[in-house]
């Protein structure tokens, strides 16, 4: 690597929201240590930042990613950092997800003023969320409550609970952690067994161009966590196999332990009247695959084989959900 290349900043494209800036800042700091190059944030305004309509009305599909990807392809930045749960399953030509860092807490959190558990909130309690999946889950767990469709950043949502406008909001635990949000409000962590979350929740995706410089790709590869990548590959393959958008009322959460991967997936009726779920554990044969490779090229091939096995598992789970009637519950994914 030449001296000029080593010193040229890596340009990281990011949304302007406080959470996006915080997420990008974590990745930038890690990448600076690995690459020895400065990383500068390039703020980009996405449609999701300017369109204040409900996510359920505008579909949610790619609303936070499209403008950023256009900037990346146009050479306005070198890499992007996304919340993986906001990414459509189809990756545009010319782009690759080069790294999925270690996953944060994938759970949802209920925020209230007094710590009343979600299922004990009184009739008429107002619970704020803009996610069709969370709306369906609330209608199952707190049937007497009223769901309020909301948008806005974390601080504005917390403020609506503090003021008494809402009795509770549901947020991603990872977002609260990355922002370092401090509040006197009470929180209830929702267990993933009973309350699975969106495919990729808690995970970040670092995206770059397919023809990015080899030294940049190598540095990004060091940010990648294999267990996270395999788990989110399974989850996103379930979403892909259902042919549903990333705002569909469905959940999928996978955990990789050794050679085994366990995936819990549920598809919800938006009204909360019906749900179809699967809890599957299968082997990825990682030990066998690893024993047949020793060179760098073999290691790369092993990673591709494992990723393919993870994707096939997710597609299989989706197929089984469809066979049980999930097609009647999820809206079909619409092209951009």
């Amino acid at each position: 690597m030449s001296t000029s290349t080593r010193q040229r900043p890596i340009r990281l494209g990011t949304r302007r929201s406080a959470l996006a800036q915080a997420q990008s800042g974590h990745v930038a700091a890690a990448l600076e240590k690995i690459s020895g190059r400065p990383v500068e944030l390039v703020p980009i305004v996405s449609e999701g930042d300017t369109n204040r309509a409900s996510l359920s009305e505008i579909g949610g599909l790619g609303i936070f990613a499209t403008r950023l990807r256009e900037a990346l392809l146009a050479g306005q930045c070198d890499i992007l950092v996304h919340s993986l749960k906001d990414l459509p399953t189809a990756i545009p030509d010319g782009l690759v997800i080069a790294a999925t860092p270690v996953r944060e807490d994938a759970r949802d959190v209920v925020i209230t003023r007094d710590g009343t558990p979600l299922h004990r909130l009184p009739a008429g309690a107002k619970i704020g969320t803009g996610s069709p999946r969370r709306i369906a889950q609330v209608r199952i767990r707190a049937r007497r409550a009223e769901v309020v469709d909301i948008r806005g950043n974390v601080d504005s949502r917390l403020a609506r609970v503090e003021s008494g406008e809402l009795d509770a909001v549901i947020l991603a635990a990872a977002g609260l952690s990355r922002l370092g949000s401090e509040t006197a409000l009470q929180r209830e962590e929702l267990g993933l067994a009973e309350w699975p979350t969106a495919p990729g929740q808690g995970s970040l995706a670092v995206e770059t161009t397919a023809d990015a410089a080899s030294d940049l790709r190598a540095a990004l590869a060091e940010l990648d966590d294999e267990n996270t990548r395999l788990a989110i590959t399974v989850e996103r393959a379930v979403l892909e196999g259902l042919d549903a958008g990333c705002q569909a009322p469905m959940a999928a959460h996978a955990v990789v332990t050794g050679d085994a991967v366990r995936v819990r997936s549920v598809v919800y009726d938006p009204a909360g009247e019906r749900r179809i779920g699967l809890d599957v554990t299968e082997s990825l044969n990682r030990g066998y695959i690893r024993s047949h490779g020793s060179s760098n090229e073999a290691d790369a091939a092993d990673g591709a084989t494992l990723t393919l096995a993870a994707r096939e598992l997710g597609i299989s789970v989706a197929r089984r959900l469809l066979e049980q009637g999930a097609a009647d519950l999820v809206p079909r994914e619409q092209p951009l």
Side-chain angles (χ1 to χ4, degrees), residues 26-284:
H26 289 310
V27 172
L31 187 56
E32 285 181 340
K33 291 181 180 179
I34 292 169
S35 68
R37 294 167 59 185
V39 178
E40 64 178 25
L41 301 188
V42 180
I44 299 168
V45 177
S46 74
E47 182 184 355
D49 298 312
T50 57
N51 189 333
R52 307 315 300 168
S54 164
L55 289 181
S56 60
E57 293 177 4
I58 56 182
L61 179 57
I63 190 170
F64 297 115
T66 301
R67 175 66 191 97
L68 276 71
R69 285 171 157 174
E70 290 172 350
L72 180 58
L73 288 168
Q76 297 171 21
C77 52
D78 303 305
I79 62 174
L80 301 172
V81 173
H82 305 281
S83 291
L84 191 58
K85 69 181 179 65
D86 294 330
L87 280 186
T89 54
I91 304 300
D93 290 341
L95 299 181
V96 294
I97 294 178
T100 51
V102 175
R103 186 181 215 159
E104 288 267 0
D105 191 340
R107 294 176 297 177
D108 276 344
V109 175
V110 181
I111 304 293
T112 59
R113 287 184 297 280
D114 61 5
T116 301
L118 178 62
H119 69 281
R120 292 185 180 173
L121 286 172
K126 295 182 178 180
I127 303 173
T129 177
S131 158
R133 185 243 331 151
R134 289 172 178 155
I135 291 171
Q137 289 173 317
V138 167
R139 287 172 175 161
I140 293 171
R141 190 135 166 183
R143 292 188 178 278
R144 299 180 300 165
E146 175 188 345
V147 179
V148 179
D149 193 345
I150 62 171
R151 292 282 309 277
N153 60 36
V154 170
D155 287 342
S156 69
R157 296 184 190 210
L158 295 177
R160 294 175 74 170
V161 177
E162 290 173 340
S163 70
E165 178 184 352
L166 297 173
D167 296 291
V169 292
I170 302 176
L171 303 170
L176 291 170
S177 174
R178 290 178 180 131
L179 277 173
S181 297
E182 294 185 5
T183 176
L185 297 171
Q186 303 299 304
R187 54 188 286 167
E188 174 194 3
E189 284 84 8
L190 300 172
L192 290 165
E194 301 80 20
W195 188 285
T197 49
Q201 182 157 314
S203 298
L204 299 178
V206 185
E207 193 169 42
T208 190
T209 56
D211 61 356
S214 59
D215 59 302
L216 177 59
R217 290 288 295 271
L220 293 176
E222 292 192 44
L223 294 175
D224 192 65
D225 177 70
E226 182 175 78
N227 281 354
T228 297
R229 174 165 47 82
L230 294 174
I232 62 94
T233 297
V234 174
E235 296 165 12
R236 284 166 59 79
V238 176
L239 183 63
E240 176 189 354
L242 291 172
D243 191 25
C246 52
Q247 284 295 311
M250 63 81 64
H253 181 71
V255 176
V256 178
T257 306
D259 280 354
V261 56
R262 180 177 184 179
V263 55
R264 297 181 181 92
S265 185
V266 184
V267 178
Y268 299 92
D269 165 20
E273 298 297 329
R274 184 183 174 206
R275 52 183 162 173
I276 297 171
L278 280 175
D279 188 338
V280 177
T281 301
E282 289 195 15
S283 174
L284 293 175

